[in-house]
Amino acid sequence: MTRQSPLLATCLLLVAALNLEVSANGLVNEEVKRTVDLSTHLAKITAEIVLSNQGHSAVQSFILAVEEDLTPHLAYIGMTFSHVLRPFPTHVTQAERQLVVFQGNHYLYSPYPTRSQTTRVRLASKTVESYTKLGNPSKNDEIIEYGPFRDVAPFSEDTMKIHYENNTPFLTISSITRTIEVSHWGNIAVEETIDLRHTGAVLKGPFSRYDYQRQSDSGISSVKSFKTILPASAQDVYYRDEIGNISTSHLQVLDDSVEVEVRPRFPLFGGWKTHYIIGYNLPSYEYLYTLGDQYALKMRLVDHVYDDQVIDFLTVKIILPEGARNIHVDTPYKIDRMPNQLHYTYLDTFGRPVLVATKNNLVEHHIQDVVVHYNFNKILMLQEPLLVVGAFYILFFTVIIYVRLDFAITKDPAAEVRMKVASITEQVLTLVNKRLGLYRHMDEVVNRYKQSRDTGALNSGRKTLEADHRALTNEISSLQARLKAEGSDLADKVGEVQKLDGQVKELVCRSCQEAERLVAGKVKKEAYIESEKTLTGKRQELVSRIDSLLDAL
Amino acid sequence: MKSSPNKGVLLQYWLSGALGGWGGTSDGKHKASTNAGGSVHGNSRPGAAGGGGGKVGLSGGLTQPAGWQSLLSFSILFLACLAGFSSRLFAVIRFESIIHEFDPWFNYRSTHHLTTNGFYEFLNWFDERAWYPLGRIVGGTVYPGLMVTAGLIHYVLNLLHITVHIRDVCVFLAPVFSGLTAISTFLLTRELWNQGAGLLAACFIAIVPGYISRSVAGSFDNEGIAIFALQFTYYLWVKSVKTGSVFWTIGCCLSYFYMVSAWGGYVFIINLIPLHVFVLLLMQRYSRRVYIAYSTFYIVGLVLSMQIPFVGFQPIRTSEHMAAAGVFALLQAYAFLQYLKDRLTRQEFQTLFFLGVSLAAGMVFLTVIYLTYTGLYVRLLTCYAKIHIPIIASVSEHQPTTWVSFFFDLHILVCTFPAGLWFCIKNINDERVFVALYAISAVYFAGVMVRLMLTLTPVVCMLSAVAFSSVFEHYMGDDTKREKPPEKAEEGLGPNIKSIVTMLMLMLLMMFAVHCTWVTSNAYSSPSVVLASYNHDGTRNILDDFREAYYWLRQNTDEHARVMSWWDYGYQIAGMANRTTLVDNNTWNNSHIALVGKAMSSNESAAYQIMRSLDVDYVLIIFGGVIGYSGDDINKFLWMVRIAEGEHPKDIRESDYFTPQGEFRVDKAGSPTLLNCLMYKMSYYRFGEMQVRRGALTPPGFDRTRNAEIGNKDIKFKHLEEAFTSEHWLVRIYKVKKLDNREPLDHKLRSVVPKQKYTSKKVPLMLGGEFALQVWRDSFRFS
């Protein structure tokens, strides 16, 4: 019974769980082809294993062991190790190239005996300072081949040490905080705060900009820029740090992604670090799924920053809308959940729930989706608009109250009198205008009478005029008395208006009588027209005098 | 030039207008103000009353002319605020929301400290990152108004869960306050003249470049909020003089307190208001109102102003505040005499008066002597300092104002404001005395220093508004009203002339608006932290070297590293790089600055001694030779030399840095002292190899700023090494190496040099012994 399996598909038990009993169950590595890829700043080790069971019972699982030295660096069972290539020398000048040492095992570290094994090491360049020569390895350009080794005992170790040139930038994200803020108004805001460090050989001596600009191989292992791939629907991308926008970046919108060429403010040499924030908005319909009150957010737990990335420490914060309940998280791999927090931002009252999780040592393979399920009552969507409406309502209401009510603790008698007088004058004005209107109305009545000769209509018109006029005049004189009581000199003017008005009234009556006499045939038409003219002239004069007095009020 | 004939014509019109139209309104203060408020009323009422007289009384609101008027003025004022706010946003739109220039970075840093550590921590803040190794007591040496305002806004916004970053609050504070300035200018001008003039003044101040220069978005400086406080204090003062009410005066004091907390320019207020009162006394315009207003203002204002730690006891000690105290005493005496006048007979009064006068004379004499020995002496000294201490003279904004900058900053207003002043003086009343004094003193101060242009700008806006408003009132006035009293008809003012004048005025105003926008966009909206250059095809290159280098310092040096640079960059290093600096823009310690200047202008080994003694880890300089940036350190270098010479005349002499012909040259002909001093070496290190591409014919090491090929191309450092140079070489940072394990010994085993020097000095005196000495010296040489 043989089973060939790439290690990716296997399950893992920790080295600590191993004991000698395990090897007794009869599994044997028949043939192993190991590939150690050291061409980047990561060590990627793959092993193709042909496994045979020589025991008597069926085997459900087999154990993959990792050397004790490498365990802390194990990032992903693929197998990818971070920080196992040590720069040596640890400090280089700007002109020098970067040499690194890899220390590993010639053999497959396994709890089972191995029949036959080869190891192929891929390097970053042809230049190799030294390498261990176990079993006469053959070296061909960037590739060193060891083996085949026959009949290797379980847990056998033999140090493989390769010292070679590797100028790929040793870029490490020492910490990243990824904040995902979900809004039910259609937007998901993502912000990543990144601490970046060049973990290759540390720059020794001066940094010369002249050399860096003039010679292409100067500072060959330094990082000038790198590409970050954002989701295709990313909008409003910003790239900044504590002191503002980093103006050296470029954005390229492709069909299936948005590429940001991230150029730190300064080139990163060995040992240098930088810190920046990159953020963007995503439409929520691509990531947020809903069924009734149930929501599911499916997003990448960690996203691409640069190719072959190494993240030492990740913090993810997912901010859900205010009022989200029954939160449940499905993670693709184990992460450490921290206690939930509350986050307050625009128009929040009781805070948005924040899920916080951390994880150490991540690589590209960890770019996988996380799903967050939660319940959210849709009525709560109305809360924020209502809050705004309410705030404006209260504001306007306060203004209305303030303007209408008098909050003065002292009274200003002069101002009060002035206001009183003004209001009385206003009333007087309306009344006087009304009274003048009565006369105009009377004129019309008289004219109609002249045509229809209906004495009854005239008399009733005259009666209403008399009645209305008396009422108005009385009102005005009472106002005049009040003005006088306030001690305003306007009372005299109103008195004058009254006097003039009396004359106007007389004239109106006279023209009325004249008209009666005309209708009765007591006067000639010409004479009537004559007298009418003089009467109108007099009236107009009086009215204009009243007007000018009113203007003065 | 073009506007001067216009101006003559206009002035003539104004004069005739004033003579004709303003006879009636000068009869009393109250009358003038009510009339002014109702002038539009008066014009429009007959029409409305004639049309629908019955309706007016029934439905209020917009059918009433007063309703229209207040709506109109409200919207004009609102638009003025909006225009003021948005025209200050050029820098934010072109670049980003960023703090500008130098001082704002300190203010921002302090505000940040305030918001993170709280108010009391801020008041007690001892900043050990500035003025190494002295440190700076920040809480006691700043005007905290700006930081507290920004911090308070930030606090309130965050309380309401409006999560705005403190940087954005700081960036937009000045534009917001310029909107408020427009409102306070409106209020003040309304008190002085009428509502129409107030609206014009609000529009002027909203866009006038003289004020925008200090209040664009990102320019987070004291002046941004202080002009608002200044105008508002003046408004409340005018109001309190008008009403004589303690309420308004207390309001004035509170506003004054805010001004004191915000800007050192409060001294202007505390001198102008006493001057106003004094002139009112001289003009026989004393009244109870003035007495109440000033007595309250002086006492409450004094007590309040002393609450600011930085001001402390200055208001009762220094000469700047003595005028206020003197006028206070004078006013009390005057009021007392007035009181006695009513009670005593003429004879008694006269004897008492003489007694009083002689007593007062004695007092004044003693005070003068006291002042001469304390305050006045100091004041004279400061005047002296302004001219003769290089560190003050070296600041460009302390230079006298040129005529061009008056026109540049105020445009047409500078021509029209004398007319407004004339109108005010012509129809004088208590508050117009005030504005006249304000104008005259502000003109004087603006002439002394460029930066005081700022105090002139508001009054120019107000008075120009008065001028424009009167002209418009005269020439655009409602014809229907003019026709009614035919006896007032102006001789020969046909409708044609009216419309021509109106058009002309409108054109001037339009030109003013265009000029303001142009100046704002081109001259005053550069953050100066980020530079932009334009290619031939119009695309823009951003030169972000400053931030590149500062951020490198922030990320890649030790947290407690000490950075030496010229004081201009101190605040920026503290703010952006967050590193300890030796000197910064708060130039309080001249000798410390001189020491840095000395290090920069000495040769490398002498400089190393100084830098060792100051624990310097990095040296930062600005070098513009590659891109042709003229504000770099080599161009400022002579000031460093001068300031160093002031304190260390034995070691540094300015003349050493000039050629024998008296020129300052960086090429081969330059003086050897210059070519070997630290600043020169740091600026041009490895620059001699560089071919700056600017035409193919320039030799390597061609300095584009000074258009010269540098004279010393072989620069080697012994104690320094290049640590960082930004992309366009604008900022260069050098690391000061630690001492070697042991000083390498020279091969001379015994050092007799001092003795030799001593003898050689004596040689000319002892001619007889010369030969013997020579032999003696030679014997040493060959031993």
Side-chain angles (χ1 to χ4, degrees), chain B residues 375-398:
Chain B
L376 220 59
Y377 183 64
V378 173
R379 186 181 209 171
L380 282 175
L381 207 71
T382 49
C383 280
Y384 173 82
K386 269 171 196 153
I387 304 163
H388 293 284
I389 293 184
I391 194 149
I392 292 172
S394 73
V395 180
S396 61
E397 62 181 22
H398 292 168

PDB file of all heavy atoms in Angstrom, chain B residues 375-398:
ATOM      1  N   GLY B 375      11.355 100.460  32.073  1.00  0.00           N
ATOM      2  CA  GLY B 375      10.680 100.090  30.837  1.00  0.00           C
ATOM      3  C   GLY B 375      11.192 100.788  29.603  1.00  0.00           C
ATOM      4  O   GLY B 375      11.598 100.145  28.638  1.00  0.00           O
ATOM      5  N   LEU B 376      11.211 102.084  29.683  1.00  0.00           N
ATOM      6  CA  LEU B 376      11.523 102.854  28.498  1.00  0.00           C
ATOM      7  C   LEU B 376      12.906 102.515  27.978  1.00  0.00           C
ATOM      8  O   LEU B 376      13.134 102.426  26.778  1.00  0.00           O
ATOM      9  CB  LEU B 376      11.433 104.344  28.846  1.00  0.00           C
ATOM     10  CG  LEU B 376      10.804 105.207  27.773  1.00  0.00           C
ATOM     11  CD1 LEU B 376       9.409 104.715  27.488  1.00  0.00           C
ATOM     12  CD2 LEU B 376      10.771 106.652  28.229  1.00  0.00           C
ATOM     13  N   TYR B 377      13.778 102.324  28.947  1.00  0.00           N
ATOM     14  CA  TYR B 377      15.135 101.964  28.595  1.00  0.00           C
ATOM     15  C   TYR B 377      15.141 100.667  27.791  1.00  0.00           C
ATOM     16  O   TYR B 377      15.771 100.558  26.748  1.00  0.00           O
ATOM     17  CB  TYR B 377      15.940 101.821  29.882  1.00  0.00           C
ATOM     18  CG  TYR B 377      17.384 101.518  29.647  1.00  0.00           C
ATOM     19  CD1 TYR B 377      18.205 102.448  29.003  1.00  0.00           C
ATOM     20  CD2 TYR B 377      17.924 100.312  30.061  1.00  0.00           C
ATOM     21  CE1 TYR B 377      19.529 102.164  28.790  1.00  0.00           C
ATOM     22  CE2 TYR B 377      19.253 100.032  29.843  1.00  0.00           C
ATOM     23  CZ  TYR B 377      20.057 100.956  29.208  1.00  0.00           C
ATOM     24  OH  TYR B 377      21.360 100.667  28.983  1.00  0.00           O
ATOM     25  N   VAL B 378      14.374  99.739  28.328  1.00  0.00           N
ATOM     26  CA  VAL B 378      14.291  98.444  27.652  1.00  0.00           C
ATOM     27  C   VAL B 378      13.703  98.611  26.260  1.00  0.00           C
ATOM     28  O   VAL B 378      14.157  98.025  25.289  1.00  0.00           O
ATOM     29  CB  VAL B 378      13.431  97.478  28.493  1.00  0.00           C
ATOM     30  CG1 VAL B 378      13.187  96.193  27.726  1.00  0.00           C
ATOM     31  CG2 VAL B 378      14.101  97.199  29.809  1.00  0.00           C
ATOM     32  N   ARG B 379      12.711  99.482  26.207  1.00  0.00           N
ATOM     33  CA  ARG B 379      12.042  99.668  24.932  1.00  0.00           C
ATOM     34  C   ARG B 379      13.002 100.235  23.896  1.00  0.00           C
ATOM     35  O   ARG B 379      13.060  99.760  22.764  1.00  0.00           O
ATOM     36  CB  ARG B 379      10.882 100.612  25.131  1.00  0.00           C
ATOM     37  CG  ARG B 379      10.055 100.742  23.885  1.00  0.00           C
ATOM     38  CD  ARG B 379       8.939 101.688  24.119  1.00  0.00           C
ATOM     39  NE  ARG B 379       7.824 101.309  23.275  1.00  0.00           N
ATOM     40  CZ  ARG B 379       6.630 101.840  23.379  1.00  0.00           C
ATOM     41  NH1 ARG B 379       6.389 102.729  24.317  1.00  0.00           N
ATOM     42  NH2 ARG B 379       5.677 101.480  22.577  1.00  0.00           N
ATOM     43  N   LEU B 380      13.764 101.220  24.338  1.00  0.00           N
ATOM     44  CA  LEU B 380      14.750 101.793  23.428  1.00  0.00           C
ATOM     45  C   LEU B 380      15.706 100.706  22.978  1.00  0.00           C
ATOM     46  O   LEU B 380      16.079 100.618  21.821  1.00  0.00           O
ATOM     47  CB  LEU B 380      15.519 102.899  24.139  1.00  0.00           C
ATOM     48  CG  LEU B 380      14.785 104.220  24.246  1.00  0.00           C
ATOM     49  CD1 LEU B 380      15.587 105.184  25.077  1.00  0.00           C
ATOM     50  CD2 LEU B 380      14.538 104.786  22.860  1.00  0.00           C
ATOM     51  N   LEU B 381      16.058  99.874  23.948  1.00  0.00           N
ATOM     52  CA  LEU B 381      16.988  98.804  23.649  1.00  0.00           C
ATOM     53  C   LEU B 381      16.403  97.860  22.603  1.00  0.00           C
ATOM     54  O   LEU B 381      17.096  97.432  21.695  1.00  0.00           O
ATOM     55  CB  LEU B 381      17.284  98.038  24.941  1.00  0.00           C
ATOM     56  CG  LEU B 381      18.647  97.364  24.947  1.00  0.00           C
ATOM     57  CD1 LEU B 381      19.725  98.406  25.048  1.00  0.00           C
ATOM     58  CD2 LEU B 381      18.712  96.392  26.101  1.00  0.00           C
ATOM     59  N   THR B 382      15.113  97.564  22.759  1.00  0.00           N
ATOM     60  CA  THR B 382      14.532  96.633  21.789  1.00  0.00           C
ATOM     61  C   THR B 382      14.469  97.263  20.412  1.00  0.00           C
ATOM     62  O   THR B 382      14.651  96.583  19.410  1.00  0.00           O
ATOM     63  CB  THR B 382      13.130  96.183  22.217  1.00  0.00           C
ATOM     64  OG1 THR B 382      12.386  97.342  22.550  1.00  0.00           O
ATOM     65  CG2 THR B 382      13.187  95.237  23.376  1.00  0.00           C
ATOM     66  N   CYS B 383      14.224  98.560  20.388  1.00  0.00           N
ATOM     67  CA  CYS B 383      14.246  99.232  19.095  1.00  0.00           C
ATOM     68  C   CYS B 383      15.634  99.101  18.478  1.00  0.00           C
ATOM     69  O   CYS B 383      15.796  98.809  17.297  1.00  0.00           O
ATOM     70  CB  CYS B 383      13.912 100.712  19.250  1.00  0.00           C
ATOM     71  SG  CYS B 383      12.161 100.984  19.394  1.00  0.00           S
ATOM     72  N   TYR B 384      16.613  99.259  19.345  1.00  0.00           N
ATOM     73  CA  TYR B 384      17.986  99.114  18.910  1.00  0.00           C
ATOM     74  C   TYR B 384      18.213  97.699  18.386  1.00  0.00           C
ATOM     75  O   TYR B 384      18.780  97.494  17.316  1.00  0.00           O
ATOM     76  CB  TYR B 384      18.903  99.415  20.099  1.00  0.00           C
ATOM     77  CG  TYR B 384      20.351  99.137  19.850  1.00  0.00           C
ATOM     78  CD1 TYR B 384      21.146 100.078  19.190  1.00  0.00           C
ATOM     79  CD2 TYR B 384      20.920  97.949  20.272  1.00  0.00           C
ATOM     80  CE1 TYR B 384      22.475  99.807  18.973  1.00  0.00           C
ATOM     81  CE2 TYR B 384      22.242  97.685  20.049  1.00  0.00           C
ATOM     82  CZ  TYR B 384      23.029  98.617  19.394  1.00  0.00           C
ATOM     83  OH  TYR B 384      24.339  98.355  19.168  1.00  0.00           O
ATOM     84  N   ALA B 385      17.671  96.748  19.151  1.00  0.00           N
ATOM     85  CA  ALA B 385      17.879  95.350  18.791  1.00  0.00           C
ATOM     86  C   ALA B 385      17.289  95.050  17.427  1.00  0.00           C
ATOM     87  O   ALA B 385      17.865  94.322  16.629  1.00  0.00           O
ATOM     88  CB  ALA B 385      17.228  94.452  19.832  1.00  0.00           C
ATOM     89  N   LYS B 386      16.145  95.650  17.181  1.00  0.00           N
ATOM     90  CA  LYS B 386      15.481  95.353  15.928  1.00  0.00           C
ATOM     91  C   LYS B 386      16.376  95.708  14.750  1.00  0.00           C
ATOM     92  O   LYS B 386      16.289  95.112  13.690  1.00  0.00           O
ATOM     93  CB  LYS B 386      14.166  96.112  15.844  1.00  0.00           C
ATOM     94  CG  LYS B 386      13.041  95.252  16.400  1.00  0.00           C
ATOM     95  CD  LYS B 386      11.766  96.002  16.545  1.00  0.00           C
ATOM     96  CE  LYS B 386      10.838  95.218  17.462  1.00  0.00           C
ATOM     97  NZ  LYS B 386       9.902  96.047  18.163  1.00  0.00           N
ATOM     98  N   ILE B 387      17.198  96.699  14.943  1.00  0.00           N
ATOM     99  CA  ILE B 387      18.047  97.106  13.838  1.00  0.00           C
ATOM    100  C   ILE B 387      19.386  96.393  13.878  1.00  0.00           C
ATOM    101  O   ILE B 387      19.919  95.991  12.861  1.00  0.00           O
ATOM    102  CB  ILE B 387      18.256  98.628  13.881  1.00  0.00           C
ATOM    103  CG1 ILE B 387      16.908  99.315  13.870  1.00  0.00           C
ATOM    104  CG2 ILE B 387      19.084  99.098  12.716  1.00  0.00           C
ATOM    105  CD1 ILE B 387      16.959 100.742  14.309  1.00  0.00           C
ATOM    106  N   HIS B 388      19.900  96.165  15.083  1.00  0.00           N
ATOM    107  CA  HIS B 388      21.300  95.758  15.147  1.00  0.00           C
ATOM    108  C   HIS B 388      21.559  94.316  15.520  1.00  0.00           C
ATOM    109  O   HIS B 388      22.641  93.815  15.285  1.00  0.00           O
ATOM    110  CB  HIS B 388      22.057  96.675  16.104  1.00  0.00           C
ATOM    111  CG  HIS B 388      22.143  98.073  15.592  1.00  0.00           C
ATOM    112  ND1 HIS B 388      23.000  98.445  14.598  1.00  0.00           N
ATOM    113  CD2 HIS B 388      21.433  99.173  15.902  1.00  0.00           C
ATOM    114  CE1 HIS B 388      22.830  99.726  14.332  1.00  0.00           C
ATOM    115  NE2 HIS B 388      21.882 100.188  15.111  1.00  0.00           N
ATOM    116  N   ILE B 389      20.597  93.633  16.128  1.00  0.00           N
ATOM    117  CA  ILE B 389      20.868  92.225  16.426  1.00  0.00           C
ATOM    118  C   ILE B 389      20.546  91.407  15.185  1.00  0.00           C
ATOM    119  O   ILE B 389      19.431  91.435  14.680  1.00  0.00           O
ATOM    120  CB  ILE B 389      20.042  91.756  17.638  1.00  0.00           C
ATOM    121  CG1 ILE B 389      20.547  92.474  18.880  1.00  0.00           C
ATOM    122  CG2 ILE B 389      20.160  90.257  17.819  1.00  0.00           C
ATOM    123  CD1 ILE B 389      19.898  92.038  20.151  1.00  0.00           C
ATOM    124  N   PRO B 390      21.553  90.700  14.675  1.00  0.00           N
ATOM    125  CA  PRO B 390      21.359  90.047  13.376  1.00  0.00           C
ATOM    126  C   PRO B 390      20.218  89.041  13.388  1.00  0.00           C
ATOM    127  O   PRO B 390      19.528  88.881  12.393  1.00  0.00           O
ATOM    128  CB  PRO B 390      22.686  89.338  13.125  1.00  0.00           C
ATOM    129  CG  PRO B 390      23.614  89.763  14.176  1.00  0.00           C
ATOM    130  CD  PRO B 390      22.881  90.510  15.226  1.00  0.00           C
ATOM    131  N   ILE B 391      20.003  88.390  14.526  1.00  0.00           N
ATOM    132  CA  ILE B 391      19.008  87.312  14.501  1.00  0.00           C
ATOM    133  C   ILE B 391      17.619  87.855  14.242  1.00  0.00           C
ATOM    134  O   ILE B 391      16.773  87.205  13.644  1.00  0.00           O
ATOM    135  CB  ILE B 391      19.067  86.512  15.806  1.00  0.00           C
ATOM    136  CG1 ILE B 391      18.295  85.224  15.646  1.00  0.00           C
ATOM    137  CG2 ILE B 391      18.537  87.273  16.981  1.00  0.00           C
ATOM    138  CD1 ILE B 391      18.828  84.128  16.446  1.00  0.00           C
ATOM    139  N   ILE B 392      17.377  89.082  14.675  1.00  0.00           N
ATOM    140  CA  ILE B 392      16.069  89.673  14.402  1.00  0.00           C
ATOM    141  C   ILE B 392      16.039  90.222  12.986  1.00  0.00           C
ATOM    142  O   ILE B 392      15.079  90.049  12.257  1.00  0.00           O
ATOM    143  CB  ILE B 392      15.756  90.753  15.452  1.00  0.00           C
ATOM    144  CG1 ILE B 392      15.556  90.063  16.804  1.00  0.00           C
ATOM    145  CG2 ILE B 392      14.522  91.535  15.076  1.00  0.00           C
ATOM    146  CD1 ILE B 392      15.441  90.979  17.954  1.00  0.00           C
ATOM    147  N   ALA B 393      17.146  90.814  12.604  1.00  0.00           N
ATOM    148  CA  ALA B 393      17.194  91.375  11.255  1.00  0.00           C
ATOM    149  C   ALA B 393      17.145  90.290  10.195  1.00  0.00           C
ATOM    150  O   ALA B 393      16.714  90.521   9.076  1.00  0.00           O
ATOM    151  CB  ALA B 393      18.455  92.201  11.099  1.00  0.00           C
ATOM    152  N   SER B 394      17.599  89.068  10.568  1.00  0.00           N
ATOM    153  CA  SER B 394      17.706  88.025   9.547  1.00  0.00           C
ATOM    154  C   SER B 394      16.351  87.464   9.140  1.00  0.00           C
ATOM    155  O   SER B 394      16.253  86.777   8.146  1.00  0.00           O
ATOM    156  CB  SER B 394      18.585  86.894  10.057  1.00  0.00           C
ATOM    157  OG  SER B 394      17.906  86.141  11.035  1.00  0.00           O
ATOM    158  N   VAL B 395      15.312  87.724   9.927  1.00  0.00           N
ATOM    159  CA  VAL B 395      14.000  87.185   9.586  1.00  0.00           C
ATOM    160  C   VAL B 395      13.360  88.078   8.533  1.00  0.00           C
ATOM    161  O   VAL B 395      13.249  89.284   8.716  1.00  0.00           O
ATOM    162  CB  VAL B 395      13.107  87.110  10.834  1.00  0.00           C
ATOM    163  CG1 VAL B 395      11.764  86.546  10.481  1.00  0.00           C
ATOM    164  CG2 VAL B 395      13.778  86.268  11.876  1.00  0.00           C
ATOM    165  N   SER B 396      12.950  87.443   7.443  1.00  0.00           N
ATOM    166  CA  SER B 396      12.498  88.252   6.309  1.00  0.00           C
ATOM    167  C   SER B 396      11.235  89.019   6.634  1.00  0.00           C
ATOM    168  O   SER B 396      11.007  90.110   6.127  1.00  0.00           O
ATOM    169  CB  SER B 396      12.260  87.366   5.097  1.00  0.00           C
ATOM    170  OG  SER B 396      11.269  86.424   5.399  1.00  0.00           O
ATOM    171  N   GLU B 397      10.395  88.475   7.525  1.00  0.00           N
ATOM    172  CA  GLU B 397       9.145  89.184   7.776  1.00  0.00           C
ATOM    173  C   GLU B 397       9.339  90.364   8.719  1.00  0.00           C
ATOM    174  O   GLU B 397       8.393  91.078   8.999  1.00  0.00           O
ATOM    175  CB  GLU B 397       8.090  88.225   8.310  1.00  0.00           C
ATOM    176  CG  GLU B 397       8.434  87.584   9.621  1.00  0.00           C
ATOM    177  CD  GLU B 397       7.343  86.619  10.056  1.00  0.00           C
ATOM    178  OE1 GLU B 397       6.580  86.145   9.207  1.00  0.00           O
ATOM    179  OE2 GLU B 397       7.267  86.350  11.244  1.00  0.00           O
ATOM    180  N   HIS B 398      10.554  90.570   9.204  1.00  0.00           N
ATOM    181  CA  HIS B 398      10.820  91.758  10.016  1.00  0.00           C
ATOM    182  C   HIS B 398      11.365  92.918   9.191  1.00  0.00           C
ATOM    183  O   HIS B 398      11.730  93.946   9.735  1.00  0.00           O
ATOM    184  CB  HIS B 398      11.811  91.421  11.141  1.00  0.00           C
ATOM    185  CG  HIS B 398      11.209  90.499  12.166  1.00  0.00           C
ATOM    186  ND1 HIS B 398      11.961  89.878  13.119  1.00  0.00           N
ATOM    187  CD2 HIS B 398       9.943  90.112  12.363  1.00  0.00           C
ATOM    188  CE1 HIS B 398      11.167  89.133  13.867  1.00  0.00           C
ATOM    189  NE2 HIS B 398       9.943  89.254  13.420  1.00  0.00           N
TER     190      HIS B 398
END
